[in-house]
Amino acid sequence: MRFTLALTTTATLTLGFIAVPAAAQAHTDPHTATGYGGAVSTVDATATAVGLDVLRRGGNAVDAAVATAAALGVTEPFSAGIGGGGFFVYYDAKRGTVSTIDGRESGPATMTENIFVDPADGLPYDFQEARVSGLSVGTPGTLATWEAAANKWGTRSLGSLLQPAAKVADKGFPVDATFRQQVADNAAAFGQFDATRELYLPGDAPPAVGTTQRNPDLADTYRLIAKRGTGVFYKGQVGADIVRTVQHPPVSADPAGTWAYPIRPGGLTRSDLANYQVRFPAPTKSGYRGLTVYGMATPSSGGTTVGEALNILEKTDLKKATTTQALHQYAESTALSFADRNRYVGAYTSPGVVKKLLSDRWATQRACQIDPAHALTKPVPPGDITAAGCTPAPVGGKVEEGQSTTNLTVTDRWGNIVEYTLTIEQTGGSGMVVPGRGFLLNNELTDFNFAGTQGTAPDPNLPGPNKRPRSSMSPTIVIKDGKPFLALGSPGGATIITTVLQILINRIDLGMTLPQAMAAPRGSQRNSAGIQAEPAFHQLYGPGLTALGHTFGPDVAELGAATAIEFTRHGGLIATAEPVRRGGGSAAVLKR
Ligand code: GLU
């Protein structure tokens, strides 16, 4: 958010007890901070300040991550909040272990495979029609994630960690250009619900840049949860309000009859909420040039897809390759691993299949198809995991995109690390604010495929009872010689996978520092005809890649909004946020 810039020049940020003097940061780049003793990187200066304050007061990385995420629920409400879900990866410095929390939304117990098929004509709903509805809302997992993290690894109560965010919601924060644009992009959807319109469309228009955005309902909700515990959300009054909103979407009157489609109710029930549980899957683990890369297990495809692509890339010495050849290998590795993801990865992928996809033998079977002189014809077919040798199976897959979500990276003085990606799916989620509660409900269930995408082969990502939709979120922690080296993650739908991978190879293979690796132009080949690229990537690398037979899809203004921390010798930290994307992020260290 652009607020970062104001903070670092003239403003003093005051969050009740938190005061961050501008002078303390004025001489430095707000997107990169180098120092010791703990660090926080997010997309937003207010949230980063909240996390840093928790660290300063002796909280650990988990405490700070939860407080930071709660603050992002206020200042980045269209990307994250207690109406959504996410994946939390934790490195415990004392034990040297990596653990995860799967706080992904789950579908209702009554969800069927054809939930997104219109009974009137048997065809899948238009995406927006499915999204802005009760149908798309899964049981939110974010609050349960915070509670599990705080109880298992934190040192503060969840209630106390919600207080700074409640203060931000009460006092408000300045609307910046990114916030305003996100509302403007959602004006039609938001305008259909009184509760959303009242909160985000004052005077029926997006809030002006520089005005103060408050959310007293959310402040009250956070305080209610702080006082009564998460039971009030999963088994109590807040949960009842969520279920009412889903089953009877609080649609405003439409006297002019101007809305494009009916707002359909969803099937989420109070027992779906009461039965919700986070999971604690082991992280995925893959080796890359002597490093160990930990990622997120299913239902995210982040860990398997980043890991498979790295294994394929490991077959080539990218350090010795030309830039064009390195990016050619990168694009081919992701096309191949996306084909496999689409065929094999969903909530119920067996451990055996995951193991196979992350094996070096599988990478050899896939990498053998890459020709250094010619791009493969896209889409490439998925590999046949029952076969040996270099033989692909005969069906292609579909391409997905997205732009929302948020990511945070935190470390503390003890060396613990949290890498956490959280989302409500599309920017603005389902468009429905729970009346009187101040938070948007997710549309995560539209991450399921609406119909099979794999021809005659089974599709691993079709809806089903209680099922969690496949994700691309890729919170990643890299270990070198038994010690943390890098922690990173990003939003961006399916482009998350390529963004995380590109930052990794930029840093590890292509000679860039972490800030350079983050800032570098991005391109994303997800087994579609063309590479989806930022204009600078297209301009710089288009001629070389086109000569090898690659094509480019329509350019996009930006891909992802990553955050990362690099761990250097003797406890040094390089905390990095985006310099430009999403209006620029905010990275800070405890001691410079
Ligand atoms: N729902 C997406 C996922 O889980 C993330 C959405 C986004 O980043 O745009 O992969």
Side-chain angles (χ1 to χ4, degrees):
M1 296 177 92
R2 292 214 184 273
F3 178 46
T4 311
L5 301 174
L7 171 70
T8 54
T9 49
T10 54
T12 294
L13 173 64
T14 308
L15 306 171
F17 59 90
I18 305 169
V20 183
Q25 295 190 23
H27 60 290
T28 54
D29 171 1
H31 317 301
T32 298
T34 311
Y36 299 87
V40 182
S41 181
T42 80
V43 73
D44 172 58
T46 305
T48 294
V50 165
L52 207 63
D53 192 67
V54 173
L55 294 179
R56 190 179 292 122
R57 289 160 183 266
N60 71 9
V62 172
D63 302 325
V66 170
T68 302
L72 287 167
V74 180
T75 61
E76 293 281 312
F78 314 122
S79 298
I82 56 175
F87 296 101
F88 191 104
V89 178
Y90 171 60
Y91 172 78
D92 186 311
K94 222 185 215 165
R95 296 191 178 82
T97 52
V98 178
S99 311
T100 79
I101 302 176
D102 159 14
R104 185 69 160 169
E105 299 89 333
S106 54
T110 55
M111 186 167 64
T112 60
E113 191 170 301
N114 57 9
I115 182 178
F116 293 118
V117 175
D118 189 343
D121 57 13
L123 296 172
Y125 291 124
D126 164 75
F127 181 81
Q128 281 299 324
E129 186 171 353
R131 173 205 162 196
V132 184
S133 79
L135 284 175
S136 67
V137 182
T139 300
T142 289
L143 193 59
T145 302
W146 297 350
E147 180 175 50
N151 288 349
K152 264 174 108 69
W153 306 308
T155 67
R156 304 282 193 268
S157 70
L158 175 62
S160 72
L161 297 172
L162 295 176
Q163 299 300 340
K167 281 188 180 137
V168 177
D170 262 340
K171 283 175 167 283
F173 57 94
V175 168
D176 66 7
T178 305
F179 189 98
R180 184 183 194 284
Q181 190 58 46
Q182 289 176 333
V183 177
D185 293 344
N186 274 289
F190 287 2
Q192 295 177 61
F193 304 98
D194 288 341
T196 316
R197 201 177 54 237
E198 278 158 22
L199 187 55
Y200 294 123
L201 289 164
D204 281 339
V209 172
T211 55
T212 299
Q213 177 73 40
R214 293 191 178 81
N215 191 342
D217 285 347
L218 182 57
D220 289 346
T221 303
Y222 277 164
R223 287 199 195 97
L224 184 67
I225 295 165
K227 195 165 147 204
R228 305 256 305 275
T230 59
V232 75
F233 186 95
Y234 286 101
K235 295 181 177 160
Q237 210 43 51
V238 179
D241 289 351
I242 292 173
V243 167
R244 189 175 318 111
T245 305
V246 171
Q247 293 187 355
H248 307 281
V251 190
S252 317
D254 181 23
T258 47
W259 293 341
Y261 37 74
I263 308 296
R264 296 170 198 282
L268 210 65
T269 64
R270 292 192 70 173
S271 60
D272 290 322
L273 262 70
N275 291 332
Y276 184 84
Q277 303 272 348
V278 294
R279 299 169 60 249
F280 302 96
T284 61
K285 184 177 170 189
S286 39
Y288 186 64
R289 305 195 202 279
L291 308 169
T292 306
V293 181
Y294 290 98
M296 195 60 223
T298 57
S300 184
S301 59
T304 54
T305 316
V306 170
E308 180 182 342
L310 285 173
N311 287 340
I312 292 171
L313 287 169
E314 205 174 18
K315 311 280 171 205
T316 308
D317 187 347
L318 297 181
K319 276 192 176 132
K320 292 206 182 114
T322 61
T323 305
T324 299
Q325 189 55 227
L327 292 174
H328 170 61
Q329 295 287 335
Y330 159 65
E332 300 295 68
S333 76
T334 52
L336 290 163
S337 43
F338 263 88
D340 295 340
R341 163 201 188 261
N342 292 347
R343 168 59 64 85
Y344 298 114
V345 183
Y348 303 140
T349 305
S350 72
V353 170
V354 168
K355 198 170 163 202
K356 172 97 193 191
L357 291 175
L358 285 173
S359 68
D360 280 324
R361 180 180 295 193
W362 182 250
T364 306
Q365 280 176 257
R366 301 300 272 151
C368 62
Q369 299 182 50
I370 300 177
D371 179 344
H374 297 283
L376 292 161
T377 302
K378 312 292 185 315
V380 296
D384 178 352
I385 52 168
T386 61
C390 202
T391 323
V395 188
K398 82 160 196 179
V399 180
E400 302 151 64
E401 312 173 0
Q403 281 303 328
S404 71
T405 310
T406 198
N407 190 78
L408 60 96
T409 312
V410 180
T411 187
D412 61 27
R413 69 189 72 174
W414 301 280
N416 303 304
I417 306 165
V418 173
E419 188 60 49
Y420 183 24
T421 316
L422 62 163
T423 187
I424 58 172
E425 214 302 277
Q426 290 289 297
T427 304
S430 65
M432 298 191 293
V433 165
V434 179
R437 303 298 184 184
F439 61 90
L440 280 157
L441 288 173
N442 69 83
N443 68 300
E444 214 71 52
L445 301 184
T446 60
D447 270 359
F448 283 116
N449 291 334
F450 292 8
T453 61
Q454 299 297 310
T456 53
D459 186 317
N461 190 36
L462 288 172
N466 294 313
K467 195 173 173 184
R468 299 179 185 204
R470 178 174 63 208
S471 169
S472 300
M473 292 189 269
S474 309
T476 301
I477 294 181
V478 183
I479 305 290
K480 183 182 190 174
D481 301 328
K483 294 199 186 101
F485 167 55
L486 207 53
L488 75 164
S490 176
T495 71
I496 292 171
I497 289 167
T498 54
T499 289
V500 167
L501 185 70
Q502 206 183 342
I503 294 170
L504 284 173
I505 62 171
N506 283 347
R507 176 66 193 93
I508 296 166
D509 298 309
L510 303 185
M512 297 185 204
T513 63
L514 181 61
Q516 289 167 341
M518 294 267 289
R522 292 183 187 143
S524 178
Q525 169 49 274
R526 305 188 304 287
N527 203 21
S528 50
I531 296 174
Q532 190 183 32
E534 295 177 345
F537 184 97
H538 195 168
Q539 209 179 345
L540 279 170
Y541 310 119
L545 289 169
T546 307
L548 291 177
H550 289 277
T551 58
F552 281 75
D555 286 355
V556 277
E558 51 185 52
L559 290 168
T563 69
I565 297 176
E566 180 169 333
F567 302 81
T568 59
R569 267 180 290 169
H570 312 301
L573 302 169
I574 305 169
T576 315
E578 295 282 358
V580 176
R581 298 178 184 97
R582 285 263 183 111
S586 169
V589 290
L590 209 55
K591 287 187 226 150
R592 288 188 179 278

